[in-house]
């Protein structure tokens, strides 16, 4: 069974989608089979790897609401070993439609369970909210990566997210772990960036990834070309950062399996 990891933070613009795309591509480059589940109605993971909406018949919405087999919704990407279940704007209505369903918090879990054994990692790109879709993602996951941008107000709202995670651990998914806090958009020249790094490390200590994602032009440009950074510029700082993160995730998995 593959490890299911959500990327969650109700704050927008913290690097969730950038991390979903580039961590997936880096894990694939390290010979792991990876599936991205785009659980965000903005569908940025879908467009960010160059998937044309006309290319797909089914999306995650169809799997959740219409009962479509997720295996039929999986699309290949330019990178071997990396696939995606795409999203589109239809997903906006899913939260309301799911309210009527039995065990509404576990719908995504049952969808992903049908394809997990085909992958080493399933990465769920969550929407920037703590609504029913994010609750579904966390209920379906083994762990969660929380991107935190190295900017003012970085820790604002984290309490709410951690509280949601605790509620899910208590009521829906006792096995849910925090995979790690990921510092993103780091600029070593800015004192504020360094202060945020210190503060997050002081608060969360061992739970913070050693890898820090630095501000990088190539990383910002890559989605407009529909490519992960590793395809757009494999030697860019952003590519190297995400390869390091992928290795850290793999090493954590190896540590867990020893226990």
């Amino acid at each position: 069974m593959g490890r299911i990891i959500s990327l969650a933070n109700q704050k927008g613009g913290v690097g969730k989608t950038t991390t979903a795309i580039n961590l997936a591509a880096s894990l694939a480059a390290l010979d792991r089979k990876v599936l991205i589940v785009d659980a965000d109605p903005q569908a940025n993971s879908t467009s960010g790897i160059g998937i044309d909406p006309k290319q797909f018949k089914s999306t995650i919405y169809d799997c959740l609401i219409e009962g479509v087999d997720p295996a039929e919704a999986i699309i290949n990407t330019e990178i071997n070993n990396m696939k995606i279940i795409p999203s589109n704007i239809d997903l906006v209505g899913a939260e309301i439609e799911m309210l009527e369903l039995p065990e509404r918090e576990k719908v995504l879990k049952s969808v992903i369970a049908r394809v997990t054994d085909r992958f080493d990692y399933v990465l769920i790109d969550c929407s920037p909210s703590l609504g029913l879709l994010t609750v579904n993602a966390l209920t379906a996951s083994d762990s969660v990566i929380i991107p935190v941008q190295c900017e003012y107000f970085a820790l604002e709202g984290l309490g709410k997210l951690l509280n949601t995670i605790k509620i899910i651990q208590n009521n829906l998914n006792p096995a849910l772990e925090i995979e790690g806090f990921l510092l993103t958009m780091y600029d070593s020249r800015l004192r504020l960036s360094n202060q945020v790094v210190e503060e997050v490390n002081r608060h969360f200590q061992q739970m913070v990834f050693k890898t820090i994602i630095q501000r990088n032009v190539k990383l910002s440009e890559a989605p407009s070309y529909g490519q992960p950074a590793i395809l757009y510029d494999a030697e860019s700082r952003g590519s190297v950062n995400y390869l390091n993160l992928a290795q850290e995730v793999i090493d954590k998995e190896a540590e867990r399996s020893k226990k």
Side-chain angles (χ1 to χ4, degrees):
M1 290 288 279
R3 185 165 184 81
I4 304 167
I5 304 175
S6 279
L7 292 112
N9 190 330
Q10 76 273 28
K11 268 175 78 86
V14 298
K16 279 190 299 293
T17 298
T18 300
T19 299
I21 292 170
N22 290 291
L23 175 57
S26 298
L27 286 165
L30 295 170
D31 290 328
R32 300 308 190 275
K33 291 180 179 147
V34 190
L35 175 69
I36 300 175
V37 176
D38 192 348
D40 183 352
Q42 293 173 72
N44 289 336
S45 277
T46 303
S47 60
I49 53 175
I51 303 279
D52 178 353
K54 298 183 191 76
Q55 268 182 266
F56 51 81
K57 291 194 184 91
S58 302
T59 67
I60 191 65
Y61 170 86
D62 300 296
C63 300
L64 293 169
I65 306 301
E66 308 292 344
V68 167
D69 183 345
E72 291 176 21
I74 292 173
I75 293 178
N76 294 326
T77 71
E78 274 189 82
I79 294 179
N80 282 343
N81 291 335
M82 178 171 131
K83 300 180 190 298
I84 186 168
I85 296 181
S87 175
N88 62 19
I89 197 67
D90 290 351
L91 197 58
V92 168
E95 294 211 345
I96 296 160
E97 292 173 69
M98 285 162 73
L99 290 172
E100 305 300 317
L101 298 176
E103 297 214 288
R104 61 191 180 196
E105 297 91 354
K106 297 182 178 176
V107 184
L108 184 58
K109 182 176 184 172
S110 63
V111 167
I112 291 175
R114 295 166 72 180
V115 293
T116 319
D117 57 355
R118 293 168 50 178
F119 299 94
D120 298 307
Y121 291 95
V122 177
L123 302 184
I124 307 174
D125 185 17
C126 296
S127 60
S129 77
L130 292 178
L132 188 54
L133 279 171
T134 299
V135 168
N136 260 265
L138 294 172
T139 303
S141 296
D142 297 304
S143 61
V144 53
I145 290 175
I146 302 170
V148 181
Q149 84 279 43
C150 296
E151 291 176 4
Y152 200 57
F153 296 135
L155 298 179
E156 195 182 66
L158 274 187
K160 228 181 230 175
L161 174 60
L162 294 172
N163 196 39
T164 300
I165 289 169
K166 196 167 277 181
I167 291 166
I168 285 163
Q169 287 168 329
N170 290 338
N171 298 295
L172 294 164
N173 183 4
L176 181 66
E177 300 175 341
I178 293 177
E179 187 80 18
F181 291 84
L182 176 67
L183 290 155
T184 63
M185 305 178 196
Y186 173 71
D187 186 339
S188 59
R189 297 166 301 179
L190 300 179
R191 196 168 70 192
L192 178 62
S193 274
N194 292 302
Q195 285 171 343
V196 172
V197 170
E198 279 174 34
E199 201 170 339
V200 171
N201 276 299
R202 191 172 70 247
H203 270 276
F204 302 112
Q205 299 166 357
Q206 304 304 319
M207 295 161 82
V208 184
F209 283 107
K210 293 183 181 71
T211 303
I212 296 177
I213 309 301
Q214 294 163 287
R215 274 201 182 279
N216 179 243
V217 173
K218 301 289 186 187
L219 204 53
S220 305
E221 287 176 354
S224 63
Y225 291 87
Q227 292 183 323
I230 204 166
L231 282 185
Y232 181 61
D233 185 347
E235 292 177 10
S236 68
R237 190 181 286 168
S239 294
V240 172
N241 288 164
Y242 276 108
L243 277 167
N244 290 339
L245 177 65
Q247 191 59 58
E248 210 175 326
V249 168
I250 290 166
D251 291 346
K252 277 193 173 203
E253 183 80 354
E255 282 294 312
R256 264 191 297 264
S257 60
K258 283 182 197 168
K259 287 177 184 174

